[in-house]
């Protein structure tokens, strides 16, 4: 009898000890006030919970120093992989280099970082998005007037990529370069900056806003001026604005697909797999204009 009891205790002990430990993944986001990053966070939580993974969600509020400190804390909590949307292209190098030094795999999401080594980068094709935005505005404005480009900060990779794609199309048509203004990805700042630009430049016919928040801010000042506006991201508020004819179009990213792909990659890395270095998630033009969605 006692032998059966010993075997039962052994079996229970082995069940607890031998059961695989749930994957523990850190996700670092720069700003949880932005609807785009809110979508990533919400999707990450839901997907991790449904798969039985542990998620350590951190956000830096745009501070590279805070980002570094929180990443170090997440590593000490036992996070096995770091998924990060870098706060800054240069400022986030310290965080990536720390991860490299302690052999902590890093997947960068949405934005690039200018130093250190990541095992995988997952993003939309932001350069192609800039080209798509330019082609849309040129078609809608019939190449008349000037184009205003409301950008994010210049030290963020998506700003540079989207601007370069936009500029390359204008250059290919031998058109003047866009009027650029940094509106910080902020709806309120975009409203202020757009007012200033419209006062200074009387012939603006189209606006490329690097996210939907800035497109909504610009739209509040341009509706009576027959200005075509295209945003970026495809957030719920952006799509609602287009449906209500507040502005004209957006380039829809797929943040839910990006983060679930990143989490799957993280788990595969934990299990010993080697991921492909770069994954591009397709963009889609969404518009209520006569050009139709495609």
């Amino acid at each position: 009898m006692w032998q059966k009891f010993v075997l039962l205790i052994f079996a229970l002990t082995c069940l607890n000890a031998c059961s695989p430990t749930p994957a523990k993944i850190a996700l670092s986001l720069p700003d949880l006030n932005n609807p785009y990053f809110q979508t990533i966070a919400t999707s990450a939580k839901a997907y991790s919970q449904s798969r039985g993974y542990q998620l350590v969600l951190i956000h830096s509020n745009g501070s590279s120093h805070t980002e570094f400190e929180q990443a170090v804390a997440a590593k000490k909590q036992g996070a096995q992989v770091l998924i990060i949307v870098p706060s800054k292209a240069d400022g986030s190098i310290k965080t990536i280099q720390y991860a490299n030094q302690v052999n902590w795999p890093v997947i960068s999401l949405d934005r690039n970082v200018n130093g250190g080594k990541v095992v995988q980068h997952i993003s939309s094709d932001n350069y192609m998005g800039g080209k798509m935005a330019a082609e849309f505005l040129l078609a809608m404005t019939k190449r008349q007037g000037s184009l205003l480009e409301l950008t994010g900060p210049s030290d963020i990779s998506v700003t540079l990529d989207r601007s370069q794609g936009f500029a390359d199309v204008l250059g290919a048509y031998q058109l003047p370069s866009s009027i650029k203004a940094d509106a910080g990805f902020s709806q309120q700042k975009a409203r202020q900056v757009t007012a200033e630009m419209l006062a200074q430049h009387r012939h603006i016919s189209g606006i490329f806003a690097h996210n939907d928040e800035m497109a909504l801010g610009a739209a509040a000042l341009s509706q009576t001026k027959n200005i075509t506006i295209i945003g970026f991201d495809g957030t719920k508020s952006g799509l609602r604005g287009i449906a209500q004819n507040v502005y004209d179009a957006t380039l829809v990213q797929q943040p839910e697909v990006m983060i679930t792909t990143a989490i799957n990659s993280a788990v595969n890395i934990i299990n010993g797999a080697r991921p492909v270095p770069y994954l591009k998630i397709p963009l889609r033009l969404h518009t209520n204009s006569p050009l139709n969605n495609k």
Side-chain angles (χ1 to χ4, degrees):
M1 185 70 179
W2 65 270
Q3 290 175 325
K4 291 182 179 180
F5 179 74
V6 170
L7 288 173
L8 178 61
I9 295 297
F10 176 78
L12 291 173
T13 303
C14 186
L15 181 63
N16 291 329
C18 301
S19 296
T21 303
K24 192 168 189 177
I25 301 162
L27 172 61
S28 177
L29 297 173
D31 179 10
L32 286 183
N33 292 319
N34 186 307
Y36 178 73
F37 296 126
Q38 289 174 3
T39 298
I40 291 178
T42 301
S43 299
K45 289 177 184 176
Y47 189 72
S48 297
Q49 185 175 13
S50 70
R51 295 299 190 276
Y53 308 146
Q54 295 182 32
L55 182 72
V56 180
L57 179 62
I58 55 182
H59 65 95
S60 62
N61 199 27
S63 165
S64 298
H65 178 70
T66 302
E67 175 185 79
F68 172 76
E69 290 187 331
Q70 291 181 339
V72 172
K75 180 67 172 72
K76 290 179 179 178
Q77 291 176 41
Q80 298 160 282
V81 176
L82 172 64
I83 301 171
I84 183 171
V85 179
S87 60
K88 300 286 188 296
D90 289 323
S92 298
I93 293 174
K94 184 179 179 181
T95 298
I96 307 303
Q97 289 179 335
Y98 160 76
N100 296 160
Q101 290 167 4
V102 297
N103 296 315
W104 195 22
V106 180
I107 297 171
S108 56
L109 192 70
D110 188 56
R111 301 174 178 177
N112 287 306
V113 64
N114 290 338
K117 182 180 180 181
V118 301
V119 296
Q120 187 176 60
H121 178 67
I122 302 172
S123 73
S124 301
D125 191 335
N126 289 289
Y127 172 78
M128 179 57 67
K131 295 181 72 172
M132 292 167 69
E135 294 284 5
F136 174 81
L137 288 179
L138 292 178
M140 294 296 291
T141 63
K142 297 179 171 49
R143 305 187 199 176
Q144 302 298 311
S146 303
L147 299 181
L148 170 62
E149 190 178 352
L150 297 175
T151 75
S154 60
D155 56 355
I156 294 176
S157 65
V158 296
T159 297
L160 302 176
D161 293 341
R162 293 170 191 175
S163 281
Q164 190 61 57
F166 197 75
D168 284 353
V169 168
L170 298 185
Y173 285 106
Q174 298 183 330
L175 295 172
S177 58
S178 63
I179 303 161
K180 287 188 181 182
D182 178 359
F185 292 129
S186 162
Q187 185 174 152
Q188 182 177 355
K189 189 172 180 181
R191 186 188 298 246
Q192 172 192 340
V193 168
T194 301
E196 294 171 357
M197 293 298 103
L198 292 177
Q200 295 174 27
H201 305 275
R202 300 291 184 180
H203 302 292
I204 291 174
S205 59
I207 298 174
F208 171 32
H210 281 210
N211 75 348
D212 287 327
E213 288 299 290
M214 293 190 293
L216 288 165
L221 294 166
S222 61
Q223 284 184 304
T224 61
K225 298 179 181 294
N226 196 30
I227 296 174
T228 302
I229 300 176
I230 183 169
F232 209 111
D233 286 345
T235 60
K236 289 180 181 179
S237 56
L239 295 175
R240 185 167 55 249
I242 293 167
Q244 296 171 350
N245 295 315
V246 175
Y247 65 106
D248 304 278
T250 189
L251 291 158
V252 179
Q253 299 199 78
Q254 301 185 68
E256 300 93 342
V257 175
M258 276 197 275
I259 187 57
T260 54
T261 299
I263 291 172
N264 287 336
S265 284
V267 173
N268 288 336
I269 290 166
I270 292 168
N271 291 329
R274 180 179 296 179
V276 296
Y278 189 40
L279 288 176
K280 290 182 180 180
I281 307 300
L283 289 164
R284 177 174 60 86
L285 175 65
H286 178 87
T287 174
N288 286 336
S289 81
L291 291 181
N292 297 320
N293 297 339
K294 56 184 179 180

